[in-house]
Amino acid sequence: MLRIIIVITFCEAFITAMVERGVAFYAEDQLGFTQSQNLWLALLFGTSYITGALTSHRAAKALGERRWLMINILAHILLHLSLSLEPGAAVLFALNALLGATSGSKWPVVESYVSAGMTPRKAAGAVGQFNIAWSFSVIPAVAVGGVLIETWAPSLFLLPGILNIGVLLLIMRLPARPNHLPHDHPHRPTDGQMIRLRSLLISSRWSLFASFTLLFLLAPLLPYIFKQRLGFSPGPATAMVSLIDIARFATFVVMQRYIGWHGRRSLLVWAVLLLPVGFLTTLLSDHLAGVLLGEVLFGAAGGMSYYAALYYAMVVKNASVEAGGAHEGMIGSGLVVGPAIGLGGVYLSGAANASVGVMAVTAAPFLAVCAVGGLWSLRRASGGDHFRFPE
């Protein structure tokens, strides 16, 4: 089952990234969207994403995980094919928001299948395979999206619709419901271990929230950074944007192979410190080298927080859809707060397109709050630096 779900993960991440990241370039290039319009587009997507993520557990429990996943993929196909008909701005806003709801709803189910029934130690490896699969697929997806926009813009949505038909066939091979590890299993964490795990989980979620907030603040702005400030067209621009994803993928590979970070606070401290450095370097640099360096630092920090947050959630909540829903809910919150911060910057600037300096100032209070939250949450993880799960 794990092999099937990893293939599904790769395909769905490729599809999601192609549309989720590419739609800002599509809207700017084809419909002439301003920063403000792209930020509103992202904000509505994120709001719907949260709704889908937080309601997925109940729907999957009522209908069964496999059936609910198939319903979401069918909705994806219909929405992608509709978007390929080149609708106007109003319809793009509506259909993209519906895509947010179905995207937020599908991932908690996929994540539940990944590590269900595994001991915490084995779950780490399974979560690692999942992370590597989705993060690797995002790299070509972002670059391909830019090429499709330049070649024939509707194909940005048509290709994902076609690919999802194949995903439906794979989902049919999954069990109707994943089996979970019994709560009294001897390899489940003890009460003392749970205290440390919850502390690490809360800290990693602060960083996860921060990373996706900043990522989706950057996403609507990157077309302007690369196109207007650095002079690149959508094709090479989207390819260079994927450096964030390359750095995150490399981080996932290292974290899967080196398990010494399990139970340690140091990894999450690094994530807290590198996130604002990478973000501000990307946003404020006037030269290509500085922007690319910022992307690497930002991608690495985002990878640390994502892997840790998903792993600790799956262990604490025993790989339930609820655990994935809370995880995706944090991501969805970032999808909302990021564009909201951007809109605040646009409002402060009094222009359709705000300067990066204004965006940095607007984001500064958020950066400070998340850094304090991430570090303060680690106080109950003291004594856990040598914590290990049994084989």
Side-chain angles (χ1 to χ4, degrees):
M1 183 185 77
L2 182 59
R3 289 184 179 179
I4 296 173
I5 202 67
I6 292 302
V7 174
I8 291 172
T9 296
F10 181 91
C11 295
E12 283 306 300
F14 182 89
I15 291 166
T16 300
M18 184 187 300
V19 176
E20 197 174 273
R21 302 282 192 88
V23 71
F25 286 90
Y26 173 90
E28 190 274 338
D29 191 66
Q30 298 294 309
L31 299 174
F33 271 31
T34 63
Q35 279 185 11
S36 178
Q37 288 174 305
N38 256 340
L39 287 165
W40 275 112
L41 188 69
L43 181 67
L44 291 176
F45 179 92
T47 302
S48 299
Y49 193 101
I50 294 173
T51 303
L54 297 182
T55 57
S56 184
H57 175 64
R58 290 184 179 180
K61 187 176 181 180
L63 300 174
E65 283 84 348
R66 183 178 63 192
R67 184 179 299 171
W68 182 237
L69 185 57
M70 291 183 70
I71 290 171
N72 277 282
I73 299 305
L74 281 169
H76 269 65
I77 293 171
L78 293 174
L79 291 168
H80 285 142
L81 294 180
S82 298
L83 284 165
S84 70
L85 298 177
E86 299 184 272
V91 177
L92 176 63
F93 268 101
L95 296 182
N96 193 59
L98 290 174
L99 267 180
T102 54
S103 292
S105 186
K106 75 180 175 184
W107 285 116
V109 182
V110 173
E111 289 159 2
S112 179
Y113 274 106
V114 168
S115 58
M118 297 182 182
T119 62
R121 191 69 173 269
K122 290 181 179 178
V127 169
Q129 291 183 54
F130 168 80
N131 287 338
I132 289 171
W134 78 255
S135 63
F136 181 73
S137 71
V138 168
I139 297 169
V142 175
V144 168
V147 174
L148 293 178
I149 292 170
E150 288 195 324
T151 305
W152 184 49
S155 61
L156 177 71
F157 308 110
L158 182 60
L159 179 59
I162 295 171
L163 291 175
N164 260 326
I165 296 173
V167 172
L168 275 178
L169 300 177
L170 290 174
I171 294 173
M172 292 178 184
R173 299 178 61 185
L174 296 174
R177 292 185 180 273
N179 295 317
H180 298 277
L181 199 69
H183 286 283
D184 59 353
H185 193 281
H187 285 184
R188 287 288 298 152
T190 64
D191 291 342
Q193 290 171 339
M194 275 294 192
I195 293 174
R196 291 197 296 270
L197 287 169
R198 289 193 180 99
S199 177
L200 294 165
L201 173 60
I202 293 170
S203 177
S204 61
R205 280 181 170 171
W206 271 107
S207 293
L208 176 71
F209 174 44
S211 68
F212 275 87
T213 295
L214 299 175
L215 176 62
F216 282 89
L217 172 57
L218 275 177
L221 303 178
L222 285 171
Y224 304 92
I225 292 175
F226 279 102
K227 191 173 180 181
Q228 297 180 9
R229 189 196 307 171
L230 300 177
F232 291 97
S233 64
T238 50
M240 285 184 286
V241 167
S242 68
L243 189 58
I244 292 175
D245 307 297
I246 294 172
R248 182 171 55 193
F249 167 74
T251 302
F252 285 161
V253 172
V254 172
M255 289 180 70
Q256 188 202 29
R257 294 180 179 276
Y258 172 68
I259 63 172
W261 61 270
H262 291 185
R264 289 184 180 271
R265 294 171 293 174
S266 54
L267 177 92
L268 296 175
V269 172
W270 276 109
V272 168
L273 297 177
L274 289 178
L275 272 172
V277 173
F279 168 75
L280 292 173
T281 303
T282 303
L283 187 65
L284 299 176
S285 293
D286 290 325
H287 303 287
L288 179 62
V291 173
L292 297 182
L293 173 62
E295 287 191 84
V296 170
L297 296 177
F298 184 79
M304 294 176 195
S305 61
Y306 185 97
Y307 199 132
L310 182 57
Y311 171 63
Y312 292 132
M314 289 294 116
V315 172
V316 170
K317 293 291 186 178
N318 201 14
S320 67
V321 176
E322 182 183 8
H327 179 78
E328 295 299 326
M330 295 302 298
I331 293 173
S333 298
L335 269 63
V336 171
V337 177
I341 292 173
L343 287 168
V346 172
Y347 175 78
L348 288 175
S349 69
N353 296 323
S355 69
V356 292
V358 170
M359 289 297 185
V361 171
T362 308
F366 172 81
L367 292 171
V369 169
C370 287
V372 171
L375 295 174
W376 180 255
S377 301
L378 291 174
R379 69 192 188 282
R380 300 191 69 187
S382 60
D385 284 350
H386 303 289
F387 169 66
R388 296 290 184 277
F389 284 115
E391 294 286 354

